[in-house]
Amino acid sequence: MNTSTTAPVVAGWDASPEAQLALQRAHERALEHGLPLQVLIARGDIGRASRWADEWSRGLAEEWSELARKQLAELGRPDLVPEVREGTPAEVLVEETRTASCVVVGAGGHGPIFGRLLGSVSQHLTRHAAGPVLVVRSGGVDAGPVVAGVDGSSTSLRALVFALREGEVRGVPVEVLYVPPRLAGWAYLEGATSTELAHELEADEARVRAQVAQVLAAHRGVRASVRTPSGSAAHELARASEAASLVVIGSRGAGGFAGLLLGSVANSVLHRSHCPVAVIH
């Protein structure tokens, strides 16, 4: 991720209704953080097949560009020109995460040639991005809290910092959701007794709580609360998303006892969330 104060917010555009939501949110985010906005269109790779395919994809990209400029004008950005790139959406947007402050995409898009933005493209993007990816969908509560899922992993702690900054600029509270590992359901590990395992899990929970407290102490100006429900992280995050304005998660979890926000969980939240989701690397 580029931490420069001038790194742009990048919106992936394919003229779909979902892309319109993404552009709206990218525009708002750029204003909130005082950053430039960039709109990218990926032509795909079908143009390599023939001259006809090249002309067709070029014409479609131009059509999409005009539609984007229309929405940009409505947003008060009449001079902003979308940039058309060669390549598939996945490769173009993943590369952009290396220099952008955040890449914003819709939860679905046109396909199959240009790729759906929830499916192969968003899966690839959220797994291989070098920086934050915001997957936008309709739903959620605009004035609702920002929900951060933590498990003690480095990516989840970065997600917590991202969530606190979002809460600050949006003027909404942050709800930290931590689902501690429980003894029930755990098999004995290499001869460990249930007492030894319980102590291990308790120590891990204390470590995560201390890490969260340290991060929160560095952002005292943000209203924040910590909730530790039972159940699965994916289920609890999806349920919390119903009343949230944003859910923020790490792309990978800690593994071992604390491995609650693994790739499978992040993937589940992306599909089940009722509000936009930011995935942090």
Side-chain angles (χ1 to χ4, degrees):
M1 176 183 68
N2 192 328
T3 56
S4 167
T5 56
T6 60
V9 176
V10 175
W13 175 265
D14 65 4
S16 65
E18 292 85 355
Q20 295 172 31
L21 287 175
L23 180 52
Q24 174 71 37
R25 182 59 202 139
H27 160 73
E28 294 169 351
R29 180 176 176 79
L31 291 178
E32 291 168 351
H33 293 266
L35 295 172
L37 174 65
Q38 184 178 6
V39 181
L40 287 185
I41 297 170
R43 285 183 58 197
D45 56 6
I46 189 175
R48 303 169 189 170
S50 68
R51 180 178 177 181
W52 175 88
D54 179 66
E55 292 176 352
W56 178 82
S57 64
R58 188 182 304 277
L60 184 59
E62 291 175 356
E63 178 183 337
W64 285 358
S65 181
E66 285 302 312
L67 292 171
R69 293 192 68 171
K70 180 179 180 181
Q71 182 172 346
L72 287 166
E74 294 171 352
L75 294 173
R77 297 178 182 267
D79 298 326
L80 182 57
V81 179
E83 184 176 348
V84 178
R85 297 272 184 88
E86 301 290 336
T88 66
E91 59 192 19
V92 167
L93 294 174
V94 166
E95 181 62 28
E96 202 62 29
T97 63
R98 302 181 188 281
T99 55
S101 65
C102 184
V103 172
V104 186
V105 294
H110 287 306
I113 294 171
F114 287 80
R116 293 191 60 80
L117 292 180
L118 182 60
S120 62
V121 174
S122 73
Q123 298 290 332
H124 190 89
L125 180 59
T126 53
R127 288 173 182 167
H128 300 285
V133 175
L134 177 58
V135 180
V136 178
R137 55 166 47 85
S138 60
V141 180
D142 290 341
V146 174
V147 175
V150 300
D151 67 356
S153 65
S154 59
T155 55
S156 78
L157 294 176
R158 287 196 290 273
L160 176 55
V161 172
F162 184 96
L164 290 166
R165 290 172 178 166
E166 285 296 303
E168 183 176 16
V169 299
R170 296 175 183 221
V172 300
V174 173
E175 179 180 313
V176 185
L177 195 151
Y178 169 49
V179 181
R182 308 296 183 187
L183 183 60
W186 283 79
Y188 292 103
L189 302 178
E190 298 182 355
T193 66
S194 59
T195 300
E196 292 170 336
L197 184 54
H199 287 327
E200 186 75 21
L201 297 177
E202 289 171 0
D204 185 77
E205 180 176 347
R207 176 185 62 84
V208 175
R209 287 180 178 274
Q211 290 175 324
V212 170
Q214 184 177 16
V215 174
L216 294 182
H219 297 80
R220 294 188 183 277
V222 183
R223 291 174 292 158
S225 60
V226 180
R227 188 161 64 87
T228 56
S230 58
S232 74
H235 174 75
E236 293 299 333
L237 286 166
R239 186 164 68 173
S241 73
E242 295 180 11
S245 58
L246 176 68
V247 169
V248 187
I249 54 177
S251 59
R252 290 287 175 180
F257 293 130
L260 298 176
L261 290 179
L262 298 173
S264 61
V265 174
N267 181 53
S268 177
V269 173
L270 280 168
H271 282 278
R272 297 169 57 189
S273 177
H274 297 270
C275 70
V277 177
V279 180
I280 310 303
H281 290 257

